[in-house]
Amino acid sequence: MEEVSNEMSLPWLKEEVARLKKEKNALIMAHYYQREEIQEIADFIGDSLALAREAAKTDARIIVMCGVHFMGETAKILCPDKKVLIPDVNAGCSLADSCKPEEFKKFVEEHPGYTVISYVNTSADVKALTDIVVTSGNARKIVEQLPEDEKIIFGPDHNLGEYINSVTGRRMLLWKGACHVHDRFSLEKILEMKREHPDAKILVHPECKRPLQMIADKVGSTAALLDFAQKDEASEYIVVTESGILFEMRNKCPQKTFLAAPAEDAECQCNECDYMKMNTLRKVYRCLRDETPEIIVDPEVAEKAVKPIERMLQMSR
Ligand code: 13P
Ligand code: SF4
């Protein structure tokens, strides 16, 4: 098998990916947090809700999911007959890892009579223990469709759970999970940035801590933040989420200024998800060429996990 040499340029890789994609009837999907070179060649870019919706309706033979592992699993669960590939099988998610299936099962068993809502950032095993899956793009809409007195467990993202409780007036029981990127943005640094850019609006992902949600002009999923920026009249924004989203924001609104919220720690790129950035164009090329690594989900787990995902798709139409 031909090895990819260091000389292989970005234009060459882009051409080869385009050729292979056609030849193999493959669809390349990318999350907004992917590297620019991947967003440039993707057939579809979206937030986790849009990626799940698009996977459910594609007729492609192969799906290349440029995102993290749970996104590949969600696509595979929705499309068991398709081959779902992921450029780097080690692209995990600290939030999904903060909810171990055995611990979550125990928590659910300790609270009989509760409806279990899980964020899409979970493993297939956790989804199999769930009644309804949600994403940050539809969590509010779905929770509001349930009776007001319904007892709800919400996991794993504690910050998103607090946000949904605050906007719906519910008192869902929250699992204490968090994303290592969103949970680390600092209120002080963002307020400092706002003092330097007083006219900038603050856009915050609901995986960020509650004080950040409270100073935001808009709290929303990556797609909702993008949509807000396109329709809003301001010309400058402080973007408090993973910095990959800036690529699409600048593409869609070239006349506006988007400032990446500073990382908590000057020593590290904390506003970048190291898991998302594990995928590279070279790895996309290799995985399409060799049709590996492939996402495999135990069919028994998939049979249980598909129900709460389908329920989400129905409730968020
Ligand atoms: P959304 O794509 O739903 O905004 O979620 C952000 C995220 O952290 C994905 O891992
Ligand atoms: Fe997971 Fe956070 Fe990375 Fe999203 S940004 S994939 S929630 S670790």
Side-chain angles (χ1 to χ4, degrees), residues 133-173:
V133 166
V134 296
T135 72
S136 52
N138 60 22
R140 177 180 186 168
K141 186 172 179 180
I142 288 178
V143 169
E144 282 177 338
Q145 288 173 59
L146 300 177
E148 271 179 38
D149 58 353
E150 185 131 345
K151 293 194 284 183
I152 302 170
I153 285 177
F154 185 94
D157 193 76
H158 194 263
N159 296 329
L160 174 63
E162 278 195 318
Y163 174 68
I164 301 299
N165 274 345
S166 77
V167 291
T168 61
R170 306 291 172 117
R171 297 172 67 183
M172 302 186 300
L173 199 55

mmCIF file of all heavy atoms in Angstrom, residues 133-173:
data_model
loop_
_atom_site.group_PDB
_atom_site.id
_atom_site.type_symbol
_atom_site.label_atom_id
_atom_site.label_comp_id
_atom_site.label_asym_id
_atom_site.label_seq_id
_atom_site.Cartn_x
_atom_site.Cartn_y
_atom_site.Cartn_z
ATOM 1 N N VAL A 133 -32.211 11.673 23.604
ATOM 2 C CA VAL A 133 -30.919 12.345 23.393
ATOM 3 C C VAL A 133 -31.232 13.798 23.007
ATOM 4 O O VAL A 133 -32.260 14.068 22.376
ATOM 5 C CB VAL A 133 -30.122 11.628 22.273
ATOM 6 C CG1 VAL A 133 -28.946 12.456 21.784
ATOM 7 C CG2 VAL A 133 -29.623 10.266 22.765
ATOM 8 N N VAL A 134 -30.373 14.710 23.406
ATOM 9 C CA VAL A 134 -30.509 16.106 22.953
ATOM 10 C C VAL A 134 -29.134 16.623 22.509
ATOM 11 O O VAL A 134 -28.109 16.016 22.842
ATOM 12 C CB VAL A 134 -31.041 17.046 24.074
ATOM 13 C CG1 VAL A 134 -32.447 16.664 24.501
ATOM 14 C CG2 VAL A 134 -30.100 17.090 25.275
ATOM 15 N N THR A 135 -29.140 17.729 21.794
ATOM 16 C CA THR A 135 -27.883 18.436 21.515
ATOM 17 C C THR A 135 -28.058 19.837 22.108
ATOM 18 O O THR A 135 -29.166 20.202 22.531
ATOM 19 C CB THR A 135 -27.614 18.573 19.996
ATOM 20 O OG1 THR A 135 -28.521 19.536 19.471
ATOM 21 C CG2 THR A 135 -27.770 17.266 19.261
ATOM 22 N N SER A 136 -26.998 20.626 22.054
ATOM 23 C CA SER A 136 -27.158 21.982 22.588
ATOM 24 C C SER A 136 -28.118 22.788 21.714
ATOM 25 O O SER A 136 -28.685 23.776 22.153
ATOM 26 C CB SER A 136 -25.800 22.682 22.704
ATOM 27 O OG SER A 136 -25.128 22.599 21.475
ATOM 28 N N GLY A 137 -28.307 22.326 20.471
ATOM 29 C CA GLY A 137 -29.190 23.042 19.551
ATOM 30 C C GLY A 137 -30.673 22.782 19.784
ATOM 31 O O GLY A 137 -31.510 23.532 19.290
ATOM 32 N N ASN A 138 -31.025 21.708 20.482
ATOM 33 C CA ASN A 138 -32.457 21.413 20.639
ATOM 34 C C ASN A 138 -32.862 21.070 22.076
ATOM 35 O O ASN A 138 -34.025 20.740 22.325
ATOM 36 C CB ASN A 138 -32.877 20.275 19.697
ATOM 37 C CG ASN A 138 -32.118 18.989 19.970
ATOM 38 O OD1 ASN A 138 -31.590 18.791 21.059
ATOM 39 N ND2 ASN A 138 -32.071 18.102 18.998
ATOM 40 N N ALA A 139 -31.923 21.129 23.027
ATOM 41 C CA ALA A 139 -32.214 20.686 24.402
ATOM 42 C C ALA A 139 -33.409 21.440 24.992
ATOM 43 O O ALA A 139 -34.318 20.831 25.574
ATOM 44 C CB ALA A 139 -30.977 20.864 25.273
ATOM 45 N N ARG A 140 -33.424 22.753 24.818
ATOM 46 C CA ARG A 140 -34.504 23.556 25.402
ATOM 47 C C ARG A 140 -35.855 23.157 24.800
ATOM 48 O O ARG A 140 -36.827 22.921 25.522
ATOM 49 C CB ARG A 140 -34.218 25.038 25.144
ATOM 50 C CG ARG A 140 -35.315 25.915 25.641
ATOM 51 C CD ARG A 140 -35.034 27.380 25.396
ATOM 52 N NE ARG A 140 -36.057 28.179 26.028
ATOM 53 C CZ ARG A 140 -35.982 29.477 26.200
ATOM 54 N NH1 ARG A 140 -34.924 30.125 25.778
ATOM 55 N NH2 ARG A 140 -36.956 30.134 26.779
ATOM 56 N N LYS A 141 -35.885 23.076 23.470
ATOM 57 C CA LYS A 141 -37.124 22.740 22.761
ATOM 58 C C LYS A 141 -37.662 21.376 23.215
ATOM 59 O O LYS A 141 -38.862 21.201 23.407
ATOM 60 C CB LYS A 141 -36.805 22.716 21.258
ATOM 61 C CG LYS A 141 -37.984 22.517 20.374
ATOM 62 C CD LYS A 141 -37.589 22.694 18.916
ATOM 63 C CE LYS A 141 -38.804 22.467 18.027
ATOM 64 N NZ LYS A 141 -38.484 22.630 16.616
ATOM 65 N N ILE A 142 -36.771 20.439 23.414
ATOM 66 C CA ILE A 142 -37.198 19.087 23.804
ATOM 67 C C ILE A 142 -37.679 19.064 25.250
ATOM 68 O O ILE A 142 -38.745 18.532 25.558
ATOM 69 C CB ILE A 142 -36.061 18.068 23.526
ATOM 70 C CG1 ILE A 142 -35.961 17.889 22.009
ATOM 71 C CG2 ILE A 142 -36.296 16.744 24.252
ATOM 72 C CD1 ILE A 142 -34.892 16.968 21.511
ATOM 73 N N VAL A 143 -36.926 19.679 26.143
ATOM 74 C CA VAL A 143 -37.327 19.689 27.564
ATOM 75 C C VAL A 143 -38.684 20.383 27.709
ATOM 76 O O VAL A 143 -39.556 19.918 28.453
ATOM 77 C CB VAL A 143 -36.233 20.353 28.439
ATOM 78 C CG1 VAL A 143 -36.737 20.617 29.845
ATOM 79 C CG2 VAL A 143 -34.976 19.483 28.467
ATOM 80 N N GLU A 144 -38.890 21.454 26.948
ATOM 81 C CA GLU A 144 -40.167 22.194 27.065
ATOM 82 C C GLU A 144 -41.369 21.391 26.569
ATOM 83 O O GLU A 144 -42.506 21.720 26.897
ATOM 84 C CB GLU A 144 -40.076 23.532 26.327
ATOM 85 C CG GLU A 144 -39.298 24.541 27.162
ATOM 86 C CD GLU A 144 -39.085 25.885 26.480
ATOM 87 O OE1 GLU A 144 -39.159 25.948 25.237
ATOM 88 O OE2 GLU A 144 -38.817 26.869 27.212
ATOM 89 N N GLN A 145 -41.116 20.323 25.797
ATOM 90 C CA GLN A 145 -42.242 19.490 25.334
ATOM 91 C C GLN A 145 -42.689 18.483 26.390
ATOM 92 O O GLN A 145 -43.715 17.826 26.242
ATOM 93 C CB GLN A 145 -41.856 18.745 24.054
ATOM 94 C CG GLN A 145 -41.777 19.657 22.846
ATOM 95 C CD GLN A 145 -41.226 18.935 21.632
ATOM 96 O OE1 GLN A 145 -41.771 17.946 21.171
ATOM 97 N NE2 GLN A 145 -40.126 19.439 21.108
ATOM 98 N N LEU A 146 -41.891 18.316 27.447
ATOM 99 C CA LEU A 146 -42.245 17.344 28.487
ATOM 100 C C LEU A 146 -43.127 18.025 29.539
ATOM 101 O O LEU A 146 -42.988 19.236 29.775
ATOM 102 C CB LEU A 146 -40.968 16.792 29.142
ATOM 103 C CG LEU A 146 -39.997 16.082 28.183
ATOM 104 C CD1 LEU A 146 -38.739 15.647 28.923
ATOM 105 C CD2 LEU A 146 -40.651 14.872 27.521
ATOM 106 N N PRO A 147 -44.036 17.274 30.172
ATOM 107 C CA PRO A 147 -44.893 17.880 31.196
ATOM 108 C C PRO A 147 -44.055 18.566 32.271
ATOM 109 O O PRO A 147 -42.958 18.093 32.613
ATOM 110 C CB PRO A 147 -45.649 16.679 31.776
ATOM 111 C CG PRO A 147 -45.558 15.614 30.743
ATOM 112 C CD PRO A 147 -44.293 15.840 29.975
ATOM 113 N N GLU A 148 -44.599 19.677 32.799
ATOM 114 C CA GLU A 148 -43.821 20.487 33.758
ATOM 115 C C GLU A 148 -43.403 19.734 35.004
ATOM 116 O O GLU A 148 -42.386 20.042 35.615
ATOM 117 C CB GLU A 148 -44.619 21.727 34.144
ATOM 118 C CG GLU A 148 -44.316 22.861 33.188
ATOM 119 C CD GLU A 148 -45.095 24.115 33.499
ATOM 120 O OE1 GLU A 148 -45.280 24.421 34.671
ATOM 121 O OE2 GLU A 148 -45.503 24.776 32.514
ATOM 122 N N ASP A 149 -44.227 18.732 35.388
ATOM 123 C CA ASP A 149 -43.892 18.013 36.625
ATOM 124 C C ASP A 149 -43.079 16.737 36.362
ATOM 125 O O ASP A 149 -42.854 15.947 37.274
ATOM 126 C CB ASP A 149 -45.174 17.695 37.411
ATOM 127 C CG ASP A 149 -46.151 16.875 36.573
ATOM 128 O OD1 ASP A 149 -45.874 16.691 35.367
ATOM 129 O OD2 ASP A 149 -47.170 16.421 37.120
ATOM 130 N N GLU A 150 -42.637 16.556 35.124
ATOM 131 C CA GLU A 150 -41.858 15.345 34.809
ATOM 132 C C GLU A 150 -40.515 15.394 35.546
ATOM 133 O O GLU A 150 -39.840 16.424 35.568
ATOM 134 C CB GLU A 150 -41.624 15.279 33.295
ATOM 135 C CG GLU A 150 -40.946 14.009 32.873
ATOM 136 C CD GLU A 150 -41.656 13.343 31.703
ATOM 137 O OE1 GLU A 150 -42.809 13.684 31.379
ATOM 138 O OE2 GLU A 150 -41.010 12.454 31.115
ATOM 139 N N LYS A 151 -40.162 14.270 36.155
ATOM 140 C CA LYS A 151 -38.863 14.218 36.855
ATOM 141 C C LYS A 151 -37.807 13.819 35.818
ATOM 142 O O LYS A 151 -37.958 12.797 35.138
ATOM 143 C CB LYS A 151 -38.937 13.200 37.988
ATOM 144 C CG LYS A 151 -39.893 13.659 39.100
ATOM 145 C CD LYS A 151 -39.728 12.847 40.353
ATOM 146 C CE LYS A 151 -40.364 11.492 40.207
ATOM 147 N NZ LYS A 151 -40.313 10.660 41.401
ATOM 148 N N ILE A 152 -36.772 14.643 35.731
ATOM 149 C CA ILE A 152 -35.787 14.434 34.647
ATOM 150 C C ILE A 152 -34.361 14.341 35.192
ATOM 151 O O ILE A 152 -33.944 15.165 36.009
ATOM 152 C CB ILE A 152 -35.851 15.606 33.620
ATOM 153 C CG1 ILE A 152 -37.258 15.728 33.023
ATOM 154 C CG2 ILE A 152 -34.808 15.427 32.522
ATOM 155 C CD1 ILE A 152 -37.475 16.999 32.177
ATOM 156 N N ILE A 153 -33.644 13.343 34.670
ATOM 157 C CA ILE A 153 -32.186 13.287 34.885
ATOM 158 C C ILE A 153 -31.569 13.860 33.615
ATOM 159 O O ILE A 153 -31.960 13.475 32.514
ATOM 160 C CB ILE A 153 -31.710 11.826 35.070
ATOM 161 C CG1 ILE A 153 -32.097 11.309 36.446
ATOM 162 C CG2 ILE A 153 -30.211 11.696 34.816
ATOM 163 C CD1 ILE A 153 -31.733 9.850 36.682
ATOM 164 N N PHE A 154 -30.611 14.764 33.759
ATOM 165 C CA PHE A 154 -29.949 15.348 32.587
ATOM 166 C C PHE A 154 -28.440 15.140 32.712
ATOM 167 O O PHE A 154 -27.831 15.525 33.701
ATOM 168 C CB PHE A 154 -30.259 16.845 32.490
ATOM 169 C CG PHE A 154 -29.715 17.482 31.242
ATOM 170 C CD1 PHE A 154 -30.510 17.610 30.113
ATOM 171 C CD2 PHE A 154 -28.411 17.943 31.177
ATOM 172 C CE1 PHE A 154 -30.020 18.191 28.942
ATOM 173 C CE2 PHE A 154 -27.905 18.513 30.011
ATOM 174 C CZ PHE A 154 -28.720 18.641 28.902
ATOM 175 N N GLY A 155 -27.852 14.531 31.695
ATOM 176 C CA GLY A 155 -26.399 14.340 31.744
ATOM 177 C C GLY A 155 -25.810 14.406 30.355
ATOM 178 O O GLY A 155 -26.532 14.373 29.370
ATOM 179 N N PRO A 156 -24.494 14.459 30.202
ATOM 180 C CA PRO A 156 -23.557 14.623 31.296
ATOM 181 C C PRO A 156 -23.120 16.070 31.525
ATOM 182 O O PRO A 156 -22.450 16.332 32.506
ATOM 183 C CB PRO A 156 -22.353 13.801 30.827
ATOM 184 C CG PRO A 156 -22.388 13.854 29.350
ATOM 185 C CD PRO A 156 -23.830 14.045 28.955
ATOM 186 N N ASP A 157 -23.516 17.026 30.656
ATOM 187 C CA ASP A 157 -22.904 18.351 30.812
ATOM 188 C C ASP A 157 -23.656 19.192 31.855
ATOM 189 O O ASP A 157 -24.786 19.633 31.633
ATOM 190 C CB ASP A 157 -22.868 19.100 29.474
ATOM 191 C CG ASP A 157 -21.969 20.316 29.573
ATOM 192 O OD1 ASP A 157 -20.747 20.134 29.553
ATOM 193 O OD2 ASP A 157 -22.481 21.438 29.736
ATOM 194 N N HIS A 158 -22.991 19.472 32.958
ATOM 195 C CA HIS A 158 -23.592 20.189 34.071
ATOM 196 C C HIS A 158 -23.922 21.630 33.685
ATOM 197 O O HIS A 158 -24.980 22.159 34.035
ATOM 198 C CB HIS A 158 -22.618 20.140 35.258
ATOM 199 C CG HIS A 158 -23.246 20.549 36.539
ATOM 200 N ND1 HIS A 158 -23.146 21.822 37.042
ATOM 201 C CD2 HIS A 158 -24.011 19.857 37.412
ATOM 202 C CE1 HIS A 158 -23.819 21.882 38.187
ATOM 203 N NE2 HIS A 158 -24.355 20.708 38.432
ATOM 204 N N ASN A 159 -23.019 22.275 32.936
ATOM 205 C CA ASN A 159 -23.249 23.679 32.563
ATOM 206 C C ASN A 159 -24.457 23.810 31.630
ATOM 207 O O ASN A 159 -25.288 24.702 31.805
ATOM 208 C CB ASN A 159 -22.006 24.270 31.891
ATOM 209 C CG ASN A 159 -20.820 24.320 32.842
ATOM 210 O OD1 ASN A 159 -20.997 24.473 34.052
ATOM 211 N ND2 ASN A 159 -19.614 24.174 32.306
ATOM 212 N N LEU A 160 -24.551 22.912 30.665
ATOM 213 C CA LEU A 160 -25.712 22.932 29.760
ATOM 214 C C LEU A 160 -26.991 22.642 30.564
ATOM 215 O O LEU A 160 -28.025 23.293 30.353
ATOM 216 C CB LEU A 160 -25.530 21.897 28.634
ATOM 217 C CG LEU A 160 -26.720 21.714 27.695
ATOM 218 C CD1 LEU A 160 -27.037 22.986 26.912
ATOM 219 C CD2 LEU A 160 -26.469 20.572 26.703
ATOM 220 N N GLY A 161 -26.906 21.702 31.497
ATOM 221 C CA GLY A 161 -28.071 21.375 32.337
ATOM 222 C C GLY A 161 -28.518 22.582 33.144
ATOM 223 O O GLY A 161 -29.713 22.888 33.228
ATOM 224 N N GLU A 162 -27.558 23.327 33.704
ATOM 225 C CA GLU A 162 -27.904 24.525 34.486
ATOM 226 C C GLU A 162 -28.563 25.575 33.587
ATOM 227 O O GLU A 162 -29.497 26.254 33.998
ATOM 228 C CB GLU A 162 -26.638 25.138 35.101
ATOM 229 C CG GLU A 162 -26.226 24.434 36.379
ATOM 230 C CD GLU A 162 -25.216 25.272 37.166
ATOM 231 O OE1 GLU A 162 -24.302 25.852 36.546
ATOM 232 O OE2 GLU A 162 -25.347 25.332 38.378
ATOM 233 N N TYR A 163 -28.032 25.674 32.370
ATOM 234 C CA TYR A 163 -28.608 26.650 31.430
ATOM 235 C C TYR A 163 -30.062 26.273 31.108
ATOM 236 O O TYR A 163 -30.952 27.127 31.165
ATOM 237 C CB TYR A 163 -27.754 26.700 30.147
ATOM 238 C CG TYR A 163 -28.369 27.580 29.099
ATOM 239 C CD1 TYR A 163 -28.434 28.961 29.286
ATOM 240 C CD2 TYR A 163 -28.933 27.038 27.940
ATOM 241 C CE1 TYR A 163 -29.037 29.778 28.340
ATOM 242 C CE2 TYR A 163 -29.533 27.850 26.990
ATOM 243 C CZ TYR A 163 -29.579 29.212 27.199
ATOM 244 O OH TYR A 163 -30.186 30.031 26.268
ATOM 245 N N ILE A 164 -30.300 25.003 30.813
ATOM 246 C CA ILE A 164 -31.666 24.570 30.460
ATOM 247 C C ILE A 164 -32.590 24.746 31.673
ATOM 248 O O ILE A 164 -33.726 25.205 31.532
ATOM 249 C CB ILE A 164 -31.670 23.101 29.936
ATOM 250 C CG1 ILE A 164 -30.773 22.969 28.693
ATOM 251 C CG2 ILE A 164 -33.096 22.620 29.631
ATOM 252 C CD1 ILE A 164 -31.182 23.807 27.499
ATOM 253 N N ASN A 165 -32.108 24.417 32.858
ATOM 254 C CA ASN A 165 -32.921 24.660 34.061
ATOM 255 C C ASN A 165 -33.281 26.141 34.170
ATOM 256 O O ASN A 165 -34.411 26.505 34.473
ATOM 257 C CB ASN A 165 -32.159 24.235 35.321
ATOM 258 C CG ASN A 165 -32.348 22.750 35.631
ATOM 259 O OD1 ASN A 165 -33.251 22.100 35.092
ATOM 260 N ND2 ASN A 165 -31.506 22.202 36.505
ATOM 261 N N SER A 166 -32.303 27.018 33.892
ATOM 262 C CA SER A 166 -32.554 28.454 34.084
ATOM 263 C C SER A 166 -33.562 28.994 33.067
ATOM 264 O O SER A 166 -34.377 29.831 33.409
ATOM 265 C CB SER A 166 -31.247 29.245 34.037
ATOM 266 O OG SER A 166 -30.831 29.375 32.702
ATOM 267 N N VAL A 167 -33.514 28.495 31.823
ATOM 268 C CA VAL A 167 -34.432 29.073 30.826
ATOM 269 C C VAL A 167 -35.806 28.397 30.813
ATOM 270 O O VAL A 167 -36.773 28.964 30.308
ATOM 271 C CB VAL A 167 -33.846 29.092 29.375
ATOM 272 C CG1 VAL A 167 -32.720 30.083 29.276
ATOM 273 C CG2 VAL A 167 -33.411 27.706 28.931
ATOM 274 N N THR A 168 -35.896 27.194 31.378
ATOM 275 C CA THR A 168 -37.196 26.498 31.348
ATOM 276 C C THR A 168 -37.880 26.516 32.714
ATOM 277 O O THR A 168 -39.047 26.140 32.817
ATOM 278 C CB THR A 168 -37.023 25.017 30.935
ATOM 279 O OG1 THR A 168 -36.179 24.384 31.918
ATOM 280 C CG2 THR A 168 -36.429 24.868 29.554
ATOM 281 N N GLY A 169 -37.131 26.883 33.760
ATOM 282 C CA GLY A 169 -37.693 26.853 35.109
ATOM 283 C C GLY A 169 -37.806 25.428 35.657
ATOM 284 O O GLY A 169 -38.419 25.207 36.708
ATOM 285 N N ARG A 170 -37.208 24.456 34.972
ATOM 286 C CA ARG A 170 -37.246 23.065 35.472
ATOM 287 C C ARG A 170 -36.186 22.887 36.549
ATOM 288 O O ARG A 170 -35.283 23.717 36.696
ATOM 289 C CB ARG A 170 -36.977 22.066 34.328
ATOM 290 C CG ARG A 170 -37.873 22.221 33.125
ATOM 291 C CD ARG A 170 -39.278 21.817 33.431
ATOM 292 N NE ARG A 170 -40.163 22.150 32.335
ATOM 293 C CZ ARG A 170 -40.844 21.251 31.613
ATOM 294 N NH1 ARG A 170 -40.729 19.968 31.863
ATOM 295 N NH2 ARG A 170 -41.649 21.645 30.648
ATOM 296 N N ARG A 171 -36.306 21.764 37.243
ATOM 297 C CA ARG A 171 -35.270 21.449 38.243
ATOM 298 C C ARG A 171 -34.726 20.061 37.949
ATOM 299 O O ARG A 171 -34.849 19.132 38.759
ATOM 300 C CB ARG A 171 -35.868 21.547 39.632
ATOM 301 C CG ARG A 171 -36.326 22.985 39.900
ATOM 302 C CD ARG A 171 -37.084 23.123 41.161
ATOM 303 N NE ARG A 171 -36.246 22.877 42.323
ATOM 304 C CZ ARG A 171 -36.713 22.886 43.565
ATOM 305 N NH1 ARG A 171 -38.005 23.110 43.785
ATOM 306 N NH2 ARG A 171 -35.916 22.665 44.580
ATOM 307 N N MET A 172 -34.169 19.912 36.769
ATOM 308 C CA MET A 172 -33.647 18.605 36.359
ATOM 309 C C MET A 172 -32.481 18.227 37.267
ATOM 310 O O MET A 172 -31.723 19.092 37.719
ATOM 311 C CB MET A 172 -33.154 18.663 34.905
ATOM 312 C CG MET A 172 -34.195 19.080 33.891
ATOM 313 S SD MET A 172 -33.598 18.953 32.191
ATOM 314 C CE MET A 172 -32.209 20.055 32.154
ATOM 315 N N LEU A 173 -32.377 16.943 37.495
ATOM 316 C CA LEU A 173 -31.274 16.432 38.307
ATOM 317 C C LEU A 173 -30.063 16.318 37.382
ATOM 318 O O LEU A 173 -30.148 15.663 36.337
ATOM 319 C CB LEU A 173 -31.703 15.048 38.803
ATOM 320 C CG LEU A 173 -31.023 14.441 39.984
ATOM 321 C CD1 LEU A 173 -31.078 15.367 41.176
ATOM 322 C CD2 LEU A 173 -31.721 13.103 40.312
#
